[in-house]
């Protein structure tokens, strides 16, 4: 299961399949991470820098974090995509198509000048999380989405 947790400032990625429950996140930042609470990650409860530190100690790679750089990432279900927006301008998208019980992610793109800011991963996670909530099997053909799912 993949989940994306967001504030205005940061985005946190969580892949439950990789989590070894070593609890470094919980001990490092107990306000933001608490097993049994729903949601178990609440980014509003601590400073981004402390959350970043706790995530950097995750031994499994189940958690990831990026700063948002003022870029919003939204799901556009009507358009079968997620979209990245900065100052009202679209700077990236991730496209998918539902085929029966499968969700085919076939294209991810971020304008080159905005590369290296974690935007593509946020776009893909947004689509993956929504597909999992719709109980779809993920069937990416986009090489970047495949990489995100494998990492
Ligand atoms: S530190 Fe990583 S592996 Fe450990 S409980 Fe937290 S998410 Fe899971």
């Amino acid at each position: 299961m993949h989940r994306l947790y967001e504030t205005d400032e940061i985005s946190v990625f969580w892949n439950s399949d990789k989590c070894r429950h070593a609890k470094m996140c919980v001990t490092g930042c107990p306000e933001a991470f608490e097993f049994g609470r729903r949601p178990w990650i609440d980014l509003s409860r601590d400073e981004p820098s402390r959350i970043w530190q706790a995530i950097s100690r995750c031994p499994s790679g189940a958690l990831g974090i990026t700063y948002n750089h003022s870029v919003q990432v939204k799901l556009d279900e009507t358009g079968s995509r997620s979209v990245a927006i900065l100052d009202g301008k679209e700077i990236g998208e991730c496209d998918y198509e539902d085929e029966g019980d499968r969700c085919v992610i076939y294209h991810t793109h971020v304008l080159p000048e905005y590369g290296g800011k974690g935007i593509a991963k946020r776009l893909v996670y947004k689509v993956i999380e929504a597909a999992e909530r719709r109980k779809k099997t993920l069937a990416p053909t986009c090489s970047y989405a495949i990489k995100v799912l494998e990492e």
Side-chain angles (χ1 to χ4, degrees):
M1 180 177 75
H2 299 75
R3 288 291 178 266
L4 180 63
Y5 301 88
E6 300 167 291
T7 63
D8 287 345
E9 211 170 338
I10 56 173
S11 294
V12 167
F13 313 95
W14 186 58
N15 179 349
S16 67
D17 298 335
K18 292 185 78 175
C19 178
R20 288 196 251 120
H21 301 290
K23 297 189 179 174
M24 299 302 282
C25 52
V26 176
T27 54
C29 193
E31 294 82 6
F33 301 94
E34 185 180 336
F35 286 142
R37 185 182 65 200
R38 284 191 181 265
W40 81 280
I41 298 176
D42 184 347
L43 303 180
S44 69
R45 290 175 178 249
D46 211 335
E47 294 298 316
S49 59
R50 276 175 46 86
I51 292 170
W52 191 291
Q53 268 186 346
I55 288 177
S56 69
R57 296 172 64 214
C58 174
S60 67
L63 284 168
I65 184 169
T66 185
Y67 280 101
N68 292 343
H69 305 283
S70 305
V71 176
Q72 275 188 303
V73 170
K74 296 178 177 176
L75 192 66
D76 169 17
E77 284 182 285
T78 309
S80 296
R81 65 177 189 153
S82 58
V83 58
I85 298 166
L86 177 63
D87 297 332
K89 174 185 163 190
E90 286 194 15
I91 62 167
E93 66 177 350
C94 175
D95 301 290
Y96 67 91
E97 196 168 309
D98 281 345
E99 294 180 357
D101 63 355
R102 300 184 331 144
C103 174
V104 179
I105 304 171
Y106 60 90
H107 178 240
T108 308
H109 178 72
V110 174
L111 293 178
E113 57 268 41
Y114 300 104
K117 298 181 188 300
I119 298 168
K121 187 170 178 178
R122 291 171 63 198
L123 286 163
V124 170
Y125 250 75
K126 196 64 116 176
V127 169
I128 290 173
E129 182 184 56
E132 289 179 345
R133 290 188 193 281
R134 296 196 307 280
K135 310 275 189 237
K136 298 288 183 187
T137 301
L138 292 161
T141 56
C142 161
S143 59
Y144 181 73
I146 291 170
K147 185 174 150 221
V148 169
L149 278 165
E150 286 178 350
E151 72 182 16

